Amino acid sequence: MTGGRAVRFAVAVVAAAALAIAAGSWAGSRLAEPEEPAAPPPPPRAVEVGAAKLVVPAGWRSIPLERSGVAGLDPERAVAFAPAGRASTPIVAEFGPVTDASLLPPALSADVLRSTSPPDATRLGGHPAWLYRAAGSERLDLTVLTTTAGVLAIGCPAGNECTKDVEAAGVPGATTLVPSDSLALGLRLPVVVERLDRNRRAHRAALADANALWRQGRLAGRLSTDHAAAADALRTSAGTAGRRLLASLADTATAYSALARAASNRWRNRFIAARQRIKRSEAALTAALADVPQPRAAPALPPKPEPAISIPDIPAPGGVSLLLFAALALLAAAAGVVLGTTGATERLRRVMDELS
């Protein structure tokens, strides 16, 4: 190889190496650049519904109650939502006391919104709940969550299943309960029984001390009223589970009423028969009270798993990845081998000596 060709060959090798290094550096820097992260979805938001709290998607925009289409909602205990991107019936949530065996709060228990079919078991915010499916497309599916402080109901457009988007639901400081046919009765019963027991003890003690028949008749009438009032107080919450209890209360009220009439009219035989009936009816009442199931607390929700921590790849110094650095090293070694085996290295050295 002549001197001119050797020089040109050396210049080409140097240029090729520089170009390879520049290309590798550029590629490595591009690989090292972090990708533009995708915008995270907007976080859910917490909403107060009376004493209850809901965690709903950010896209559930709060709207005035008058736009919900449900009459009788109390602004202190109800909210309405218009989900983003849905041109459908608004979503309604209401919190209130448990007054009905259906476990529905006052406004949403109106007949126009209720289904005649029994509820299905479902979940709301992870807790056990009841689902009343709408009887028509213009009505609401109602999901009910019951607690010791009251009941939270959410009305979704029929077939919408909007409650699946609810991240959490509950009442701070209250216990969430498992819904059942006897739950409303179990919640209402302690207050009613406490009042009945207090009145019974007072009136029965007075009846035992009364000597005059007219006074015995009056006190027996009061005891009849005590039991009838207890039955009235439990009637809406009793449902099918409380039929036996209501019948026992009514029978005991009738027995005391018979005693009152017998005492007022001085009917000795009827008085004795009424006393025997009272014993039987009160025994049946005690058994009926014992048969009412106690409210059952819902199982605690499992803790949410901690998010996984990802460790990003660390790029090589200078912005060049280790893979590209190894490739360039192999390229340089291969070029050295080629130059060495062809004798070009020795000729290049002589040419450089002549030029110096």
Side-chain angles (χ1 to χ4, degrees):
M1 180 180 294
T2 63
R5 291 181 62 188
V7 171
R8 287 194 299 274
F9 180 78
V11 172
V13 170
V14 173
L19 181 61
I21 293 173
S25 178
W26 177 83
S29 64
R30 292 292 295 175
L31 289 175
E33 288 181 2
E35 294 184 0
E36 193 70 26
R45 62 191 186 98
V47 180
E48 292 185 355
V49 186
K53 285 189 176 181
L54 286 173
V55 179
V56 301
W60 285 23
R61 181 171 50 87
S62 298
I63 60 174
L65 289 180
E66 54 267 22
R67 291 176 52 191
S68 68
V70 180
L73 291 173
D74 184 352
E76 297 294 326
R77 303 187 307 182
V79 295
F81 305 98
R86 296 182 190 174
S88 61
T89 305
I91 296 170
V92 180
E94 182 188 12
F95 179 80
V98 179
T99 59
D100 191 275
S102 68
L103 303 180
L104 290 168
L108 292 181
S109 64
D111 289 340
V112 69
L113 296 176
R114 288 183 57 180
S115 169
T116 56
S117 60
D120 297 327
T122 186
R123 302 191 81 82
L124 178 61
H127 299 288
W130 267 358
L131 170 62
Y132 287 91
R133 298 189 183 277
S137 59
E138 75 283 359
R139 297 183 179 178
L140 297 176
D141 288 342
L142 299 175
T143 301
V144 180
L145 179 74
T146 311
T147 74
T148 52
V151 61
L152 172 65
I154 299 180
C156 301
N160 185 273
E161 296 186 346
C162 69
T163 53
K164 290 185 177 179
D165 297 329
V166 175
E167 185 171 309
V171 180
T175 301
T176 302
L177 303 172
V178 177
S180 68
D181 293 336
S182 62
L183 179 55
L185 177 60
L187 291 173
R188 179 67 174 154
L189 192 58
V191 175
V192 175
V193 168
E194 191 277 332
R195 182 171 61 242
L196 173 61
D197 186 58
R198 183 176 63 249
N199 292 336
R200 274 168 48 92
R201 283 187 281 109
H203 293 154
R204 283 172 65 90
L207 178 61
D209 292 339
N211 294 322
L213 288 175
W214 66 267
R215 181 166 176 77
Q216 291 177 356
R218 179 177 296 180
L219 291 169
R222 289 179 180 177
L223 282 162
S224 175
T225 300
D226 293 338
H227 290 81
D232 289 339
L234 295 173
R235 201 170 306 281
T236 57
S237 58
T240 57
R243 288 176 180 173
R244 180 187 173 193
L245 176 59
L246 293 182
S248 295
L249 285 168
D251 187 59
T252 305
T254 301
Y256 274 109
S257 180
L259 183 68
R261 288 196 304 274
S264 300
N265 291 282
R266 299 177 180 273
W267 295 335
R268 177 180 175 81
N269 291 338
R270 292 187 182 184
F271 188 89
I272 296 174
R275 290 182 61 180
Q276 295 301 319
R277 182 179 178 181
I278 288 172
K279 290 181 180 180
R280 294 192 301 269
S281 63
E282 288 191 336
L285 176 59
T286 300
L289 286 170
D291 283 346
V292 176
Q294 296 296 313
R296 187 160 56 95
L301 296 180
K304 293 184 178 180
E306 294 293 333
I309 300 175
S310 60
I311 301 177
D313 293 334
I314 302 175
V320 182
S321 68
L322 295 177
L323 181 60
L324 288 174
F325 181 79
L328 290 175
L330 289 174
L331 178 61
V337 171
V338 172
L339 290 174
T341 56
T342 58
T345 302
E346 181 61 27
R347 289 193 294 273
L348 180 60
R349 184 183 62 77
R350 291 199 300 268
V351 170
M352 295 302 290
D353 288 342
E354 294 174 357
L355 292 177
S356 58

